[in-house]
Structure formats: structure tokens, C-alpha cells
């Protein structure tokens, strides 16, 4: 997504894009295989998008349907916006992986099967009465079935591993085959294996042997059967330095950059929760950037410690996922009332309650915008892709420190785990927003900790500053002085001041992501639906349909021009992975006839679903 | 951490212009005065002092102290204070909480601030009742406490705050009561202690739980009912008119404490224990002594410092950053990268 699309493919005979899905047992190392295949694909110069899809259980019972872990990658010589609707190639490491993933495979697609795992026991666990290899249930696909398990054991024999350990290299054997299929370099993977198993060189060697054996199998098997080597040309990208990045890492880096631009040390309070923990893990390794990470006793303590750190003059950041965000709610109110900067990252997942911990959803929008007691306005920024998450994190830090307010940064499980090529930004191009603390006052001047500047923000006064002692808290504050004040008139003034401060935030005007500034249909999205909407709108426009894509980053306050922009289209369609939350906000704010397109299956929208909806809306 | 600079102040310097809004006669007034009297004696600097509280009567405390103050939310003051100390370990942080705030809704945070050993003074005002919400029984209310929520008497077993603190890993445990003349000494010792210092202050709620501590706090007969502990001194108590004629000794067979008579001041002969504030086992026994057969143990019960949490955090951060450069451009370009070269079709722009 980050790379620029070429006008047409360079090589007319090569496929423009290919979708591969690696699926196996959650202990089979499919996420590692996918991650390394992603790296080699990026290094080969393709644009790409990935979708890791794994169970909530760390080690679900082996061979079961619910224990299947999959990693899908879409890569190509043209701009790639999604992980792909339907795989061209499915690698199924056991019967359960085959059963769970078969349905999505393209007709005529290739299935690579490890027959070594198709025992009676595993077939039973996958609820197959008859082996699918023995009936005609796979007839509409090409099938390449062979004993990967045995071939792996054979390949790693010289290293003297037991069968159990030897079979652990199965994923590398499979990766070797995939690398051959798509004409990829093995050297970077070998280097990675050597560094990963630095202390156990024999394991590294066994894995490399498996990788090479898989690759060699491709070469020798090419002459017969359905296995063909495919070369996907690199995409023509803007010149520059690239790397792959996933959303969790991008947010972590964006927070580090944001704290630097604010010229503040960062305090990150977190509590383990899927899929938000990755941000804590990344930041815990970046202490040299003035980062303190604190794993608190619970979600509430995580946000409260961050508020304490902000009060003491650092940039407080906390992060969680839906249920954890719910626990932090009261403390968000405290940050709003005491008008302290704070960034709250919400990696959304399927809800309510524990919901679908490892699946993606966008159902915390109401929670972000409205979900607090009292009139508690809080800015909300949402990320649309891993690369965009970097910029959004900086934006959240800017708003928090410049306006003295907590800010919620919305991402989701899909963005957190998905990878894409990322043009490495040059920090010297970023605009700094240095923090100014109040350092003193005139001798006869009254200290006014709640006196607002032109932006509506109160001064930030660090404890320890001589002679600026004052008290803050969750009880309503008197205008300017900040003393306790329950007065009715004062509460009216302060409620308005808090609201107007947030509404007055300098949010950039909304641009049209793709298409025209008026017309028959606007598809309005937010968050991780960017990829599929972009691709679907592009496809529809290719068919001559009058449709444009608008993708909103600033959920609250909304861009000032958004209302007028939306009113310039005949119809508005709002696809989102919830039951229509943003649609409701748009209707409320602009009195427009926004129509919902909703999905809550824990899976991202497919391009086909969106294209159908666009065509339906324009029919 | 920098060594704190001692400065000259008077009690007046620590008072705010805010009207104190506790009920007339509330024990909180006496505690406020004790604190305001003690801080000048310690040479503390109001600019460097932060009072952090949760919710409840006790938690109004910061508004009356001319220092930095943060009146947070119910039960969460330990977490906020932890963030403050980690962001600026040089600040002198005092936590003010109550039996409901600190042991019911905030019990979890209290456990963790103590076990982590964040350097601050934690004053828990124990009045055995929810005052601000009009008198419901609290986690320290004695069984049988009649209240609006327990009309025929409470029946859940109370927690002993000092036993909780010791179990959570506190390295300093002090105990006093609102009007006690010795309270400033306990506060001073807590301030000198590096680490989380837990002080239970029995506080008289004259509206909802009046005189519930009179059995040991009443001036009349106090000598027989209060055991004021001092490190290195024998555990003696008794009516001052007849001298300290009682002491606490160890019943070695039962592995328990016992009260012994001291004849002619010869406490050694009576086997009276010398208070060792670093002895955790004896501290536990002193905390658990049933009042009635035994006096109430007061003063510094336990004081055995360990390295603080914030020093460990600072150390870890230094260790983790050692030899690493904080270069954002390099960080962004970390990992495996590739370069797309400019060509004629796509000039660098």
C-alpha cells in the first residue's frame, strides 16, 4: 500500500499478484514461515499485504479444527491493498488445516498437502470420515500431495535429531519449497536462522538443511505434476529505502518519534492483553530513547501510572484492547478532568467481553468517542494501515501535548499483525511540537493552573517547580484557579470549555482518497478497511462506475469540511467491521443518509464483498 | 536521586487558603496538623512535595496542604503515585488513603505498591467505616458493626491493615492514631525509610463510628493499653503512676507472645523482648496481638529497608540503554531494508 502502483505490469506473462496461504497446526510454526516468506517477498521488490489468522489458544490440542493457524500473503507487481480475498495456493500441513481453509481457495488453485499428517487419527480429529485424498472432494483444485514429514526427517537425518525435533523443521522445508516456487533468495532466511539459533548451531543447520531440501524438491519435481515456478515481477516503487513493518511496531516507533518531537521522555504503562501486548514488547527494548515501560498490576493501574507520569512531566502512554480499555474508562475521565496529556492506544478485537481475542473488529468506536461517564470529550485518531499507524501515533502525541488532553489512538488486530513494505521516513522532515512547561510566575501574580491559552489548553506545571504548588483532581475545578468548585454556573462554563477545546483541535481537512470530490457514491471508511475499500473502489472505477473513496483518520473531532464533502455525493456507503457505529456518528453530526455495510465475522472485508455493495448501491 | 535540600519552613507555609471541610471534631484535623507540624521539622520543601490521594474523607487531604497535590480516583492513588515516582524519583511523595479506598476498592494497588517498594509514605486513615458515603461498614469494620448497609450488624471478617501490608511485602510498618502525641515521630521514621512506608493511623469518625478506638486511645488508662515500640528498647507498658510494670515476652513453647509482670523494673529477669524493628516474625506477632489480653502495638513496628522500585527501574533503563545510541533515523531503518533505485521513469521526487 505504501508503494506507488505501476501503470501496468512489466511482464505481460507474469501474474500481477498471487495469494498464498500457509496453514497448519498452531504448533507447526506457520506464523514464522509466513513472516519469513514476507521478508523474502519484500526483498524481491513486490508490494504485499499479509493476514495472520491464529487461534486464541497458545497450543490448542494438536490436529484439531480450532487449533489451525494460518498466514496469508498477497504480493504482486501492482499495488497491493489487502491480503487477498481467495488464495491461489494453499499449503495445508494437516487435515484440519485443509478442512478449515479449503473453502476460501480459488477454483483451480493449488493445494500442497503433507500426506505424512493424514493419519486416521488426524483425519478423525478433523472430522473427515474419508480422507479427502481418496475421494473426489478436491477435484476442482490442483493437488500436490506428498510426505513432507518424511522428506523433512530424511533431510535433517545427519544432524542426529529425534523424530519430534526433526519434524519441527517441517515449516522450513515448506518455506524452501515456497521460495523455489516464487523464485526467491534463500540467503536472508539462512542468516535469520543462524542468528535465531545462535546458541544452538545444530538446530540452525538442521533447519537450513530442511529449507534447502524443500527448495531442491521444487527443482527436481518441476518436470512432472502441477508444481510450476512462478516469477512475480517487482513493483515499480518510488525510489528510496524500504523495510517491512507491522502495525504494532509502527505504533511503537511513532510513539518514540512523537515523544522526541514533543521533547519529552515517554512513560508507557501496560498490562498484557492480546493483541496489544506487542507494543509493550517493542517499547521495552527502546529504553535508550528515554522510554520507561511499566508492566502494571492491571489495566487500571497501567493508565493511572501513565497519568501520574504525565502529571510529573513525561508523555504518558497506555495501551490495551477492548476489555482493557473498558477498565481504563474511569481514569480517562480523570485525565479529561485534570486536563493532562495522555495517549491511549486501543488495538481493537472482536467483542463484547472477551469476545474474539485474536480476531479483528472495529467495534470500539462508540467506546472511544462516547464511552465515558459525564460529558467527557476526547480526541480519537484511527490508523488505516501499518505504515499509517506510524503517522497516527505522532499525531496522537501532538494533540495530547499541545491541547493537554488524553487522545485515543484506534488500531485493530488486523493492523497490529499485518505487514507491508514501508518507505523509511526521514525524521528531519517531521515538524517538531516542543512542550512548554510553566516555569514560574510574577511575584504578585496569582497562580492560575486552569487559565487557558488561545487553544483552550491549560498550563502544564511539573511538581518540583519552585513556588507553583497547586492541587488538581477529579472534582470539578473552578475556572482559572482550579480550586474545588461545585457551583452550577462554573460547571456549565467548564463543561463548555472542555468540549470546545476538543472541538477546536486543528484537524486537517478531509481529502478524497480516490476519485472525485462529488458524484454518485462515496464509500466512507475508517481504520483497517482502507485496503479492501481502496481496491474495490479502484476496480469499480475501472468498470466506469462513479464512486469515490473517503477514508477518515480523525474520528473526533471530525474534519471541518467533512459534512459539506459528504453532502456533495448522492449516496454514502459506510463499510465497517461492526454493526454500523461510524455510520451513526456521521448521521448524527451531519444529518446525511449514510448507509451501513457491516461485517462482524472476525475477518476483514473481501474486495468482492465491497465491489458487490458498490454495484448494489449504484444499481 | 539527588540528596534532598533541607529548607526552613513553618507550619503556616504548609497550610492552604482552602476552607477545611471535614466534620467538626473529625480525627482528620489532628492528623493534618501533625503532618503540617512534622514537615517543617524534617526540612522538607513544599515545591518538591506531592500529596496524592484516592477518594473518601481522608483523600481530601491534598487540598489542605500547600504542596503539589493530586486528588485522583477511588482506590487508584498508589498507581498514580507509582507513575509520579517513576517519572521523577526526586519528588517526595505522600499517599493518603483510607480503609475503603486503600483496602477495598484499591486493595490490589496497595498490595503492588508495597511489594514493589516504591519510595513513598503511605498514610492509611483507618476509621473502620465509609464516612463520605454516609456510614456503610468497611473492610476493617469489626464483626457486628451496625450500619445502613448492615442494619443488624456486619458479618464479614475484617482485614488487619498492618498484617495485609506485611503480607504484601512492606518493609516499613508504622501505627499511630489521630490525636496521639507520638504520631509525628512515626511520620518522621516513615519519611526516613527508603521505600514504601505503610502507616496505619486510627482515626475517629465522630459521625458514623464515634469512639470506636476509645478502648485503647482514651487518655485514661492509656499506659496499660498502648505499647509504644522503639527499636532497641524493651517492650514495656503500664500505668505511668506505677512505672512500666508490664512487658511483652516470648512464650517459647507456644511460639507466641505473652504479657509478663515486671518487678522492680527488672525487665530482663521477666524475659521482656527488646524491640528489633528488622525482625519480621516478631513484627507479625505484634500486629496480630489480640487487643484486650494484649495492649495495642503502636509506633514503628517494622523497618527493614530494601532497594526501591524506582532505583531498580533507573538501573534497568541504564543497563538496557548501555552502549546504544538514541538515533531515530537509524531506529526507523532497522532490520532488513532494500533500496529502490531511481530510474528514468521514476525520478526521485
Amino acid at each position: 500500500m505504501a508503494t506507488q502502483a505501476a501503470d501496468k505490469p512489466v511482464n505481460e506473462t507474469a501474474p500481477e499478484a498471487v495469494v498464498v496461504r500457509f496453514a497448519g497446526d498452531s504448533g507447526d510454526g506457520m506464523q514464522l514461515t509466513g513472516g519469513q516468506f514476507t521478508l523474502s517477498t519484500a526483498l524481491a521488490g513486490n508490494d504485499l499485504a499479509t493476514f495472520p489468522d491464529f487461534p486464541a489458544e497458545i497450543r490448542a490440542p494438536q490436529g484439531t479444527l480450532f487449533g489451525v493457524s494460518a498466514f496469508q500473503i498477497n504480493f504482486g507487481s501492482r499495488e497491493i491493498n489487502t491480503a487477498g480475498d481467495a488464495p491461489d495456493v494453499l499449503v495445508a500441513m494437516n487435515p484440519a488445516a485443509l478442512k478449515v481453509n479449503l473453502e476460501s481457495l480459488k477454483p483451480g488453485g493449488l493445494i500442497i498437502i503433507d500426506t505424512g499428517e493424514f493419519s486416521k487419527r488426524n483425519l478423525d480429529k478433523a472430522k473427515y470420515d474419508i480422507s479427502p485424498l481418496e475421494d473426489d472432494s478436491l477435484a476442482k483444485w490442483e493437488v500436490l500431495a506428498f510426505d513432507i514429514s518424511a522428506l523433512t526427517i530424511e533431510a535433517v537425518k545427519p544432524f542426529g535429531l529425534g523424530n519430534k525435533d526433526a519434524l519441527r523443521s517441517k515449516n522450513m522445508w515448506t518455506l524452501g519449497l515456497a521460495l523455489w516456487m516464487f523464485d526467491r533468495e534463500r540467503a536472508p532466511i539462512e542468516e535469520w536462522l543462524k542468528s535465531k539459533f545462535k546458541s544452538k548451531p545444530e538446530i540452525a543447520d538442521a533447519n537450513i538443511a530442511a529449507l534447502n531440501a524443500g527448495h531442491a524438491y521444487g527443482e527436481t519435481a518441476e518436470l512432472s505434476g502441477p508444481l510450476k515456478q512462478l516469477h512475480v515481477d517487482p513493483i515499480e516503487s518510488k525510489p528510496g529505502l524500504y523495510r517491512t513493518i507491522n502495525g504494532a511496531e509502527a505504533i511503537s516507533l511513532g510513539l518514540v518519534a512523537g515523544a522526541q518531537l514533543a521533547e519529552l521522555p515517554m512513560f508507557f504503562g501496560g498490562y498484557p492483553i492480546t493483541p496489544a501486548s506487542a507494543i509493550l514488547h517493542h517499547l521495552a527494548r527502546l529504553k535508550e530513547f528515554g522510554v520507561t515501560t511499566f508492566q502494571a498490576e492491571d489495566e487500571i493501574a497501567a493508565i493511572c501510572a501513565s497519568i501520574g507520569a504525565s502529571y510529573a512531566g513525561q508523555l504518558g502512554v497506555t495501551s490495551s484492547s477492548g476489555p482493557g480499555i473498558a477498565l481504563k474508562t474511569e481514569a480517562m475521565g480523570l485525565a479529561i478532568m485534570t486536563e493532562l496529556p495522555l495517549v491511549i492506544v486501543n488495538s481493537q478485537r472482536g467483542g463484547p467481553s472477551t469476545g474474539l481475542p485474536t480476531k479483528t473488529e472495529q467495534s470500539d468506536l462508540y467506546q472511544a468517542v462516547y464511552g465515558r461517564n459525564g460529558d467527557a470529550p476526547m480526541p480519537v485518531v484511527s490508523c488505516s494501515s501499518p505504515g499509517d499507524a506510524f503517522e497516527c501515533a505522532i499525531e496522537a502525541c501532538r494533540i495530547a501535548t499541545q491541547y493537554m488532553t488524553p487522545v485515543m489512538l484506534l488500531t485493530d488486530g488486523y493492523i497490529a499483525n499485518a505487514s507491508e513494505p514501508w518507505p523509511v521516513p526521514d525524521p528531519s522532515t517531521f515538524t517538531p511540537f516542543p512542550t512548554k512547561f510553566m516555569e514560574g510566575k510574577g511575584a504578585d501574580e496569582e497562580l492560575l493552573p486552569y487559565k487557558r491559552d488561545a487553544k483552550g489548553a491549560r498550563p502544564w506545571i511539573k511538581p518540583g517547580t519552585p513556588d507553583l504548588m497547586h492541587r488538581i483532581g477529579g472534582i470539578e475545578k473552578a475556572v482559572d484557579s482550579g480550586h474545588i468548585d461545585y457551583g452550577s454556573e462554573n460547571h456549565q462554563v467548564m463543561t463548555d470549555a472542555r468540549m470546545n477545546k476538543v472541538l477546536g483541535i486543528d484537524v486537517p481537512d478531509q481529502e478524497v482518497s480516490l476519485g472525485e470530490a462529488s458524484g454518485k457514491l462515496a464509500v466512507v471508511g475508517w481504520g483497517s478497511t482502507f485496503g479492501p475499500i481502496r481496491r474495490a473502489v479502484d476496480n469499480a472505477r475501472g468498470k466506469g462506475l462513479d464512486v469515490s473513496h473517503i477514508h477518515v483518520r480523525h474520528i473526533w473531532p471530525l474534519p471541518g469540511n467533512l459534512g459539506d464533502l459528504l453532502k456533495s455525493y448522492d449516496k454514502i456507503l459506510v463499510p465497517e467491521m461492526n454493526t454500523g457505529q461510524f455510520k451513526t456518528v456521521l448521521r448524527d453530526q451531519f444529518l446525511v443518509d449514510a448507509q451501513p455495510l457491516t461485517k462482524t465475522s472476525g475477518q476483514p472485508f473481501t474486495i468482492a464483498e465491497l465491489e458487490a455493495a458498490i454495484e448494489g448501491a449504484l444499481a | 536521586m539527588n540528596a534532598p535540600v533541607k529548607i526552613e519552613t513553618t507550619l503556616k507555609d504548609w497550610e492552604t487558603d482552602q476552607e477545611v471541610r471535614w466534620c467538626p471534631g473529625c480525627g482528620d484535623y489532628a492528623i493534618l496538623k501533625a503532618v503540617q507540624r512534622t514537615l517543617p521539622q524534617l526540612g522538607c520543601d513544599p515545591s518538591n512535595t506531592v500529596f496524592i490521594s484516592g477518594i473518601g474523607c481522608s483523600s481530601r487531604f491534598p487540598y489542605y496542604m500547600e504542596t503539589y497535590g493530586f486528588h485522583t480516583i477511588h482506590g487508584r492513588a498508589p498507581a498514580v503515585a507509582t507513575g509520579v515516582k517513576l517519572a521523577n524519583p526526586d519528588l517526595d511523595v505522600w499517599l493518603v488513603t483510607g480503609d475503603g479506598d486503600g483496602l477495598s476498592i484499591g486493595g490490589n494497588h496497595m498490595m503492588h505498591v508495597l511489594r514493589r517498594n516504591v519510595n513513598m509514605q503511605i498514610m492509611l486513615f483507618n476509621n473502620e467505616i465509609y464516612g463520605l458515603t454516609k456510614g456503610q461498614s468497611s473492610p476493617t469494620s469489626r464483626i457486628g458493626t451496625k450500619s445502613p448497609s448492615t442494619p443488624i450488624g456486619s458479618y464479614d471478617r475484617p482485614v488487619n491493615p498492618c498484617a495485609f501490608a506485611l503480607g504484601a511485602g512492606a518493609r516499613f510498618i508504622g501505627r499511630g492514631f489521630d490525636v496521639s502525641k507520638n504520631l509525628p515521630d512515626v511520620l518522621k521514621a516513615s519519611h526516613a525509610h527508603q521505600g514504601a512506608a505503610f502507616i496505619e493511623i486510627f482515626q475517629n469518625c465522630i459521625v458514623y463510628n464515634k469512639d470506636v478506638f476509645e478502648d485503647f486511645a482514651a487518655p485514661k488508662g492509656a499506659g496499660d493499653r498502648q505499647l509504644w515500640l522503639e527499636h532497641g528498647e524493651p517492650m514495656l507498658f503500664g500505668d505511668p503512676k506505677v512505672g512500666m510494670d508490664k512487658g511483652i515476652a516470648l512464650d517459647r513453647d507456644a511460639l507466641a507472645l505473652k504479657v509478663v509482670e515486671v518487678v522492680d523494673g527488672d525487665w530482663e529477669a521477666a524475659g521482656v523482648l527488646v524491640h528489633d524493628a528488622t525482625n519480621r516474625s516478631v513484627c507479625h506477632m505484634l500486629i496480630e496481638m489480640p487487643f484486650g489480653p494484649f495492649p495495642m502495638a503502636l509506633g514503628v513496628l517494622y523497618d527493614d529497608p530494601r532497594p526501591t522500585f524506582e532505583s531498580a527501574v533507573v538501573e534497568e533503563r541504564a543497563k538496557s540503554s548501555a552502549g546504544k545510541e538514541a538515533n531515530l533515523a537509524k531506529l526507523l531503518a532497522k532490520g532488513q531494508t532494500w533500496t529502490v533505485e531511481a530510474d528514468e521513469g521514476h525520478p526521485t521526487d
Side-chain angles (χ1 to χ4, degrees), chain A residues 39 42 236 239-240 242-243 287-288 292 297-298 300 305 308 314 464-465 467-468 470-474 483 486, chain B residues 18 47 60 62 66-69 71 76 79 83-84 108-109 112 116 316-317 320 326 332 336-340 346:
Chain A
L39 177 66
E236 284 193 32
Y242 285 82
R243 61 176 284 191
K287 303 275 163 71
E288 67 272 25
T292 300
E297 59 268 29
D298 60 23
I300 299 170
Q314 299 200 348
T465 310
D467 303 324
L468 297 185
H470 65 284
R471 275 63 54 192
I472 62 169
H483 294 318
Y486 304 119
Chain B
Q18 299 295 293
S47 299
R60 294 300 181 92
E66 188 53 46
T67 63
Y68 285 92
H71 180 209
R76 319 303 173 196
V84 169
N108 187 35
H109 307 302
H112 291 280
R116 289 193 182 106
E316 192 269 351
R317 201 166 49 210
S320 167
L332 298 182
Q336 269 174 300
T337 57
W338 67 97
T339 303
V340 176
H346 285 266

Side-chain angles (χ1 to χ4, degrees), chain B residues 310-348:
Chain B
E310 61 270 26
S311 65
V313 168
V314 169
E315 201 178 304
E316 192 269 351
R317 201 166 49 210
K319 206 163 138 188
S320 167
S321 321
K324 291 190 196 161
E325 183 194 1
N327 182 324
L328 185 61
K330 281 189 186 162
L331 175 68
L332 298 182
K334 219 173 147 189
Q336 269 174 300
T337 57
W338 67 97
T339 303
V340 176
E341 303 292 346
D343 61 31
E344 283 174 20
H346 285 266
T348 308

Side-chain angles (χ1 to χ4, degrees), chain B:
Chain B
M1 264 188 285
N2 303 329
V5 182
K6 293 205 171 188
I7 71 157
E8 294 267 338
T9 57
T10 64
L11 187 149
K12 285 272 165 225
D13 293 321
W14 298 85
E15 291 177 341
T16 58
D17 58 0
Q18 299 295 293
E19 184 193 343
V20 183
R21 294 194 197 179
W22 288 311
C23 307
C26 174
D28 288 350
Y29 284 95
I31 304 171
L32 178 64
K33 276 284 169 267
V35 172
Q36 288 170 336
R37 205 177 302 128
T38 305
L39 292 175
Q41 293 173 17
L42 290 170
C44 293
D45 176 358
S47 299
N48 198 50
T49 304
V50 190
F51 277 82
I52 301 174
S53 63
I55 293 291
C57 292
S58 60
S59 289
R60 294 300 181 92
F61 203 93
Y63 290 111
Y64 311 132
M65 293 296 300
E66 188 53 46
T67 63
Y68 285 92
F70 199 163
H71 180 209
T72 72
I73 44 179
H74 206 11
R76 319 303 173 196
V80 175
T82 299
V84 169
K85 277 301 274 189
L86 291 183
N88 184 357
D90 290 339
L91 294 172
D92 190 4
V93 173
W94 294 77
L95 199 94
V96 189
T97 183
D99 41 313
D101 187 62
L103 292 170
S104 196
I105 194 166
N108 187 35
H109 307 302
M110 184 60 75
M111 168 169 80
H112 291 280
V113 76
L114 291 172
R115 66 134 178 123
R116 289 193 182 106
N117 199 28
V118 188
N119 187 14
M120 65 178 82
Q121 296 73 246
I122 301 168
M123 298 189 288
L124 186 140
F125 299 6
N126 182 9
N127 57 13
E128 298 187 0
I129 210 80
Y130 281 90
L132 199 59
T133 50
K134 302 197 192 302
Q136 299 83 358
S137 67
S138 91
T140 56
S141 295
R142 292 165 217 186
I143 288 179
T145 300
K146 286 189 179 164
S147 81
S149 58
T150 53
I152 60 165
S154 64
Y155 41 84
D156 50 339
R157 293 184 59 78
V159 62
N160 178 333
C162 290
F164 173 87
L166 191 72
R171 310 298 309 189
F172 179 101
I173 292 177
R175 195 142 73 175
F177 57 93
D178 44 16
V179 295
S180 153
K181 66 175 179 11
N182 296 338
L183 183 59
D185 292 335
V186 182
L187 297 176
K188 282 178 200 167
S190 76
H191 191 261
H193 176 90
Q194 294 295 304
F198 182 85
I199 313 136
E200 179 185 18
I201 304 173
F202 298 110
Q203 174 251 324
N204 189 16
C205 174
I206 56 132
V207 174
Y208 295 111
N209 215 10
K210 193 170 188 289
D211 294 342
V212 73
F213 305 115
E214 275 303 278
D215 45 7
F216 68 84
K220 200 175 171 210
D224 277 332
R225 294 167 189 157
Q226 299 173 12
L227 171 69
W228 283 94
L229 295 156
E230 214 167 313
H231 181 69
E233 297 295 327
M235 298 183 190
L236 293 170
F237 64 103
D239 183 347
K241 281 181 216 138
V242 295
M244 304 291 241
D245 60 350
K246 295 190 201 73
I248 300 293
L250 187 64
D251 178 339
R252 284 165 207 277
D253 295 329
L255 204 61
L257 298 179
K258 61 182 178 185
V259 173
V260 291
E261 297 288 331
V262 176
V263 182
D264 297 333
D266 190 354
W267 55 268
E268 275 173 299
V272 172
L273 289 171
V274 171
H275 181 47
D276 172 5
T278 67
N279 188 326
R280 195 170 183 273
S281 303
V282 175
C283 171
H284 188 218
M285 288 193 263
L286 289 166
I287 288 170
E288 298 276 9
M289 284 191 311
F291 180 75
F294 288 90
M296 179 61 75
L298 298 161
V300 178
L301 281 67
Y302 185 55
D303 184 359
D304 187 16
R306 286 289 181 278
T308 65
F309 181 57
E310 61 270 26
S311 65
V313 168
V314 169
E315 201 178 304
E316 192 269 351
R317 201 166 49 210
K319 206 163 138 188
S320 167
S321 321
K324 291 190 196 161
E325 183 194 1
N327 182 324
L328 185 61
K330 281 189 186 162
L331 175 68
L332 298 182
K334 219 173 147 189
Q336 269 174 300
T337 57
W338 67 97
T339 303
V340 176
E341 303 292 346
D343 61 31
E344 283 174 20
H346 285 266
T348 308
D349 54 16

